[in-house]
PDB file of all heavy atoms in Angstrom:
ATOM      1  N   MET A 377     -26.605  23.131  16.757  1.00 88.00           N
ATOM      2  CA  MET A 377     -27.936  23.400  17.320  1.00 88.00           C
ATOM      3  C   MET A 377     -28.110  24.914  17.500  1.00 88.00           C
ATOM      4  O   MET A 377     -29.209  25.348  17.365  1.00 88.00           O
ATOM      5  CB  MET A 377     -28.048  22.622  18.691  1.00 88.00           C
ATOM      6  CG  MET A 377     -29.394  22.767  19.397  1.00 88.00           C
ATOM      7  SD  MET A 377     -29.577  24.327  20.431  1.00 88.00           S
ATOM      8  CE  MET A 377     -28.246  24.033  21.588  1.00 88.00           C
ATOM      9  N   LEU A 378     -27.047  25.606  17.810  1.00 88.00           N
ATOM     10  CA  LEU A 378     -27.109  27.006  18.083  1.00 88.00           C
ATOM     11  C   LEU A 378     -26.892  27.737  16.783  1.00 88.00           C
ATOM     12  O   LEU A 378     -25.747  27.757  16.248  1.00 88.00           O
ATOM     13  CB  LEU A 378     -26.001  27.327  19.186  1.00 88.00           C
ATOM     14  CG  LEU A 378     -25.919  28.741  19.664  1.00 88.00           C
ATOM     15  CD1 LEU A 378     -27.296  29.247  20.134  1.00 88.00           C
ATOM     16  CD2 LEU A 378     -24.933  28.752  20.854  1.00 88.00           C
ATOM     17  N   SER A 379     -27.884  28.385  16.366  1.00 89.00           N
ATOM     18  CA  SER A 379     -27.859  29.081  15.024  1.00 89.00           C
ATOM     19  C   SER A 379     -26.645  30.047  14.846  1.00 89.00           C
ATOM     20  O   SER A 379     -26.029  30.101  13.867  1.00 89.00           O
ATOM     21  CB  SER A 379     -29.166  29.821  14.756  1.00 89.00           C
ATOM     22  OG  SER A 379     -29.332  30.857  15.625  1.00 89.00           O
ATOM     23  N   ALA A 380     -26.437  30.803  15.956  1.00 89.00           N
ATOM     24  CA  ALA A 380     -25.323  31.748  15.874  1.00 89.00           C
ATOM     25  C   ALA A 380     -23.969  31.123  15.706  1.00 89.00           C
ATOM     26  O   ALA A 380     -23.001  31.786  15.094  1.00 89.00           O
ATOM     27  CB  ALA A 380     -25.346  32.576  17.162  1.00 89.00           C
ATOM     28  N   HIS A 381     -23.819  29.839  16.151  1.00 91.00           N
ATOM     29  CA  HIS A 381     -22.506  29.197  16.097  1.00 91.00           C
ATOM     30  C   HIS A 381     -22.307  28.176  15.058  1.00 91.00           C
ATOM     31  O   HIS A 381     -21.274  27.644  14.811  1.00 91.00           O
ATOM     32  CB  HIS A 381     -22.260  28.544  17.523  1.00 91.00           C
ATOM     33  CG  HIS A 381     -22.108  29.626  18.607  1.00 91.00           C
ATOM     34  ND1 HIS A 381     -21.042  29.603  19.475  1.00 91.00           N
ATOM     35  CD2 HIS A 381     -22.768  30.708  18.896  1.00 91.00           C
ATOM     36  CE1 HIS A 381     -21.098  30.583  20.292  1.00 91.00           C
ATOM     37  NE2 HIS A 381     -22.174  31.314  19.937  1.00 91.00           N
ATOM     38  N   GLN A 382     -23.405  27.876  14.405  1.00 93.00           N
ATOM     39  CA  GLN A 382     -23.378  26.912  13.211  1.00 93.00           C
ATOM     40  C   GLN A 382     -22.414  27.331  12.138  1.00 93.00           C
ATOM     41  O   GLN A 382     -21.637  26.517  11.661  1.00 93.00           O
ATOM     42  CB  GLN A 382     -24.733  26.675  12.678  1.00 93.00           C
ATOM     43  CG  GLN A 382     -24.843  25.586  11.587  1.00 93.00           C
ATOM     44  CD  GLN A 382     -24.446  26.136  10.201  1.00 93.00           C
ATOM     45  OE1 GLN A 382     -24.602  27.358   9.911  1.00 93.00           O
ATOM     46  NE2 GLN A 382     -24.033  25.266   9.403  1.00 93.00           N
ATOM     47  N   PRO A 383     -22.307  28.684  11.850  1.00 94.00           N
ATOM     48  CA  PRO A 383     -21.309  29.037  10.726  1.00 94.00           C
ATOM     49  C   PRO A 383     -19.886  28.744  11.148  1.00 94.00           C
ATOM     50  O   PRO A 383     -19.039  28.728  10.252  1.00 94.00           O
ATOM     51  CB  PRO A 383     -21.545  30.567  10.625  1.00 94.00           C
ATOM     52  CG  PRO A 383     -22.966  30.799  11.072  1.00 94.00           C
ATOM     53  CD  PRO A 383     -23.221  29.833  12.149  1.00 94.00           C
ATOM     54  N   TYR A 384     -19.581  28.605  12.386  1.00 96.00           N
ATOM     55  CA  TYR A 384     -18.192  28.263  12.806  1.00 96.00           C
ATOM     56  C   TYR A 384     -17.612  26.979  12.309  1.00 96.00           C
ATOM     57  O   TYR A 384     -16.486  26.696  12.411  1.00 96.00           O
ATOM     58  CB  TYR A 384     -18.044  28.329  14.315  1.00 96.00           C
ATOM     59  CG  TYR A 384     -18.086  29.751  14.890  1.00 96.00           C
ATOM     60  CD1 TYR A 384     -18.744  30.053  16.082  1.00 96.00           C
ATOM     61  CD2 TYR A 384     -17.340  30.793  14.276  1.00 96.00           C
ATOM     62  CE1 TYR A 384     -18.746  31.281  16.685  1.00 96.00           C
ATOM     63  CE2 TYR A 384     -17.377  32.113  14.842  1.00 96.00           C
ATOM     64  CZ  TYR A 384     -18.065  32.288  16.070  1.00 96.00           C
ATOM     65  OH  TYR A 384     -18.055  33.546  16.555  1.00 96.00           O
ATOM     66  N   GLU A 385     -18.534  26.130  11.801  1.00 96.00           N
ATOM     67  CA  GLU A 385     -18.109  24.781  11.325  1.00 96.00           C
ATOM     68  C   GLU A 385     -17.063  24.884  10.324  1.00 96.00           C
ATOM     69  O   GLU A 385     -15.983  24.039  10.382  1.00 96.00           O
ATOM     70  CB  GLU A 385     -19.284  24.004  10.696  1.00 96.00           C
ATOM     71  CG  GLU A 385     -18.930  22.643  10.266  1.00 96.00           C
ATOM     72  CD  GLU A 385     -20.167  21.880   9.800  1.00 96.00           C
ATOM     73  OE1 GLU A 385     -21.205  22.488   9.483  1.00 96.00           O
ATOM     74  OE2 GLU A 385     -20.133  20.593   9.787  1.00 96.00           O
ATOM     75  N   ARG A 386     -16.977  25.884   9.495  1.00 96.00           N
ATOM     76  CA  ARG A 386     -15.983  25.959   8.439  1.00 96.00           C
ATOM     77  C   ARG A 386     -14.780  26.883   8.755  1.00 96.00           C
ATOM     78  O   ARG A 386     -13.883  27.038   8.034  1.00 96.00           O
ATOM     79  CB  ARG A 386     -16.610  26.457   7.134  1.00 96.00           C
ATOM     80  CG  ARG A 386     -17.525  27.608   7.254  1.00 96.00           C
ATOM     81  CD  ARG A 386     -18.246  27.847   5.925  1.00 96.00           C
ATOM     82  NE  ARG A 386     -17.374  28.348   4.877  1.00 96.00           N
ATOM     83  CZ  ARG A 386     -17.111  29.631   4.634  1.00 96.00           C
ATOM     84  NH1 ARG A 386     -17.654  30.566   5.414  1.00 96.00           N
ATOM     85  NH2 ARG A 386     -16.304  29.968   3.699  1.00 96.00           N
ATOM     86  N   TYR A 387     -14.875  27.532   9.902  1.00 97.00           N
ATOM     87  CA  TYR A 387     -13.873  28.557  10.212  1.00 97.00           C
ATOM     88  C   TYR A 387     -12.449  27.951  10.494  1.00 97.00           C
ATOM     89  O   TYR A 387     -11.500  28.547  10.011  1.00 97.00           O
ATOM     90  CB  TYR A 387     -14.244  29.372  11.512  1.00 97.00           C
ATOM     91  CG  TYR A 387     -15.186  30.518  11.203  1.00 97.00           C
ATOM     92  CD1 TYR A 387     -16.183  30.457  10.314  1.00 97.00           C
ATOM     93  CD2 TYR A 387     -14.917  31.717  11.884  1.00 97.00           C
ATOM     94  CE1 TYR A 387     -17.046  31.526  10.073  1.00 97.00           C
ATOM     95  CE2 TYR A 387     -15.787  32.844  11.643  1.00 97.00           C
ATOM     96  CZ  TYR A 387     -16.824  32.733  10.763  1.00 97.00           C
ATOM     97  OH  TYR A 387     -17.676  33.785  10.486  1.00 97.00           O
ATOM     98  N   PRO A 388     -12.346  26.841  11.240  1.00 97.00           N
ATOM     99  CA  PRO A 388     -11.005  26.356  11.454  1.00 97.00           C
ATOM    100  C   PRO A 388     -10.168  26.112  10.188  1.00 97.00           C
ATOM    101  O   PRO A 388      -8.963  26.513  10.212  1.00 97.00           O
ATOM    102  CB  PRO A 388     -11.193  25.061  12.219  1.00 97.00           C
ATOM    103  CG  PRO A 388     -12.432  25.310  12.967  1.00 97.00           C
ATOM    104  CD  PRO A 388     -13.337  26.101  11.984  1.00 97.00           C
ATOM    105  N   GLU A 389     -10.676  25.482   9.152  1.00 97.00           N
ATOM    106  CA  GLU A 389      -9.941  25.358   7.912  1.00 97.00           C
ATOM    107  C   GLU A 389      -9.604  26.580   7.279  1.00 97.00           C
ATOM    108  O   GLU A 389      -8.498  26.748   6.741  1.00 97.00           O
ATOM    109  CB  GLU A 389     -10.746  24.351   7.019  1.00 97.00           C
ATOM    110  CG  GLU A 389      -9.969  23.969   5.798  1.00 97.00           C
ATOM    111  CD  GLU A 389      -8.590  23.329   6.144  1.00 97.00           C
ATOM    112  OE1 GLU A 389      -8.478  22.647   7.203  1.00 97.00           O
ATOM    113  OE2 GLU A 389      -7.660  23.429   5.305  1.00 97.00           O
ATOM    114  N   LEU A 390     -10.586  27.549   7.256  1.00 98.00           N
ATOM    115  CA  LEU A 390     -10.249  28.887   6.695  1.00 98.00           C
ATOM    116  C   LEU A 390      -9.047  29.517   7.462  1.00 98.00           C
ATOM    117  O   LEU A 390      -8.171  30.122   6.836  1.00 98.00           O
ATOM    118  CB  LEU A 390     -11.512  29.737   6.781  1.00 98.00           C
ATOM    119  CG  LEU A 390     -11.365  31.213   6.196  1.00 98.00           C
ATOM    120  CD1 LEU A 390     -10.938  31.163   4.737  1.00 98.00           C
ATOM    121  CD2 LEU A 390     -12.667  31.919   6.369  1.00 98.00           C
ATOM    122  N   ILE A 391      -9.089  29.447   8.796  1.00 98.00           N
ATOM    123  CA  ILE A 391      -8.014  30.019   9.593  1.00 98.00           C
ATOM    124  C   ILE A 391      -6.683  29.287   9.329  1.00 98.00           C
ATOM    125  O   ILE A 391      -5.630  29.974   9.187  1.00 98.00           O
ATOM    126  CB  ILE A 391      -8.421  29.980  11.060  1.00 98.00           C
ATOM    127  CG1 ILE A 391      -9.583  30.943  11.324  1.00 98.00           C
ATOM    128  CG2 ILE A 391      -7.252  30.371  11.964  1.00 98.00           C
ATOM    129  CD1 ILE A 391     -10.272  30.804  12.671  1.00 98.00           C
ATOM    130  N   ARG A 392      -6.720  27.985   9.296  1.00 97.00           N
ATOM    131  CA  ARG A 392      -5.480  27.165   9.082  1.00 97.00           C
ATOM    132  C   ARG A 392      -4.855  27.545   7.705  1.00 97.00           C
ATOM    133  O   ARG A 392      -3.655  27.754   7.632  1.00 97.00           O
ATOM    134  CB  ARG A 392      -5.756  25.668   9.164  1.00 97.00           C
ATOM    135  CG  ARG A 392      -5.893  25.140  10.579  1.00 97.00           C
ATOM    136  CD  ARG A 392      -5.918  23.686  10.567  1.00 97.00           C
ATOM    137  NE  ARG A 392      -7.139  23.088  10.053  1.00 97.00           N
ATOM    138  CZ  ARG A 392      -8.150  22.657  10.826  1.00 97.00           C
ATOM    139  NH1 ARG A 392      -8.136  22.795  12.097  1.00 97.00           N
ATOM    140  NH2 ARG A 392      -9.299  22.219  10.281  1.00 97.00           N
ATOM    141  N   GLN A 393      -5.687  27.624   6.674  1.00 97.00           N
ATOM    142  CA  GLN A 393      -5.209  27.932   5.341  1.00 97.00           C
ATOM    143  C   GLN A 393      -4.581  29.349   5.339  1.00 97.00           C
ATOM    144  O   GLN A 393      -3.506  29.600   4.733  1.00 97.00           O
ATOM    145  CB  GLN A 393      -6.359  27.835   4.371  1.00 97.00           C
ATOM    146  CG  GLN A 393      -6.819  26.470   3.994  1.00 97.00           C
ATOM    147  CD  GLN A 393      -8.106  26.447   3.154  1.00 97.00           C
ATOM    148  OE1 GLN A 393      -8.566  27.493   2.742  1.00 97.00           O
ATOM    149  NE2 GLN A 393      -8.548  25.236   2.835  1.00 97.00           N
ATOM    150  N   THR A 394      -5.286  30.307   5.950  1.00 97.00           N
ATOM    151  CA  THR A 394      -4.735  31.683   6.038  1.00 97.00           C
ATOM    152  C   THR A 394      -3.395  31.727   6.716  1.00 97.00           C
ATOM    153  O   THR A 394      -2.442  32.400   6.254  1.00 97.00           O
ATOM    154  CB  THR A 394      -5.727  32.616   6.621  1.00 97.00           C
ATOM    155  OG1 THR A 394      -7.014  32.503   6.013  1.00 97.00           O
ATOM    156  CG2 THR A 394      -5.234  34.066   6.623  1.00 97.00           C
ATOM    157  N   ALA A 395      -3.355  31.042   7.841  1.00 96.00           N
ATOM    158  CA  ALA A 395      -2.064  31.070   8.685  1.00 96.00           C
ATOM    159  C   ALA A 395      -0.974  30.465   7.811  1.00 96.00           C
ATOM    160  O   ALA A 395       0.157  31.020   7.796  1.00 96.00           O
ATOM    161  CB  ALA A 395      -2.290  30.213   9.883  1.00 96.00           C
ATOM    162  N   ARG A 396      -1.220  29.450   7.030  1.00 95.00           N
ATOM    163  CA  ARG A 396      -0.148  28.818   6.197  1.00 95.00           C
ATOM    164  C   ARG A 396       0.379  29.843   5.181  1.00 95.00           C
ATOM    165  O   ARG A 396       1.590  29.896   4.923  1.00 95.00           O
ATOM    166  CB  ARG A 396      -0.644  27.540   5.520  1.00 95.00           C
ATOM    167  CG  ARG A 396      -0.905  26.399   6.486  1.00 95.00           C
ATOM    168  CD  ARG A 396      -1.474  25.190   5.776  1.00 95.00           C
ATOM    169  NE  ARG A 396      -1.878  24.092   6.743  1.00 95.00           N
ATOM    170  CZ  ARG A 396      -3.030  23.508   6.791  1.00 95.00           C
ATOM    171  NH1 ARG A 396      -3.942  23.858   5.864  1.00 95.00           N
ATOM    172  NH2 ARG A 396      -3.241  22.600   7.657  1.00 95.00           N
ATOM    173  N   THR A 397      -0.582  30.560   4.498  1.00 95.00           N
ATOM    174  CA  THR A 397      -0.045  31.518   3.532  1.00 95.00           C
ATOM    175  C   THR A 397       0.769  32.688   4.146  1.00 95.00           C
ATOM    176  O   THR A 397       1.528  33.260   3.439  1.00 95.00           O
ATOM    177  CB  THR A 397      -1.292  32.191   2.806  1.00 95.00           C
ATOM    178  OG1 THR A 397      -2.053  32.961   3.772  1.00 95.00           O
ATOM    179  CG2 THR A 397      -2.262  31.135   2.174  1.00 95.00           C
TER     180      THR A 397
END
Side-chain angles (χ1 to χ4, degrees):
M377 181 277 298
L378 183 49
S379 64
H381 293 229
Q382 185 275 337
Y384 284 141
E385 183 173 19
R386 49 188 290 271
Y387 275 42
E389 186 55 31
L390 179 60
I391 291 167
R392 282 191 288 261
Q393 290 173 358
T394 304
R396 288 175 189 132
T397 65

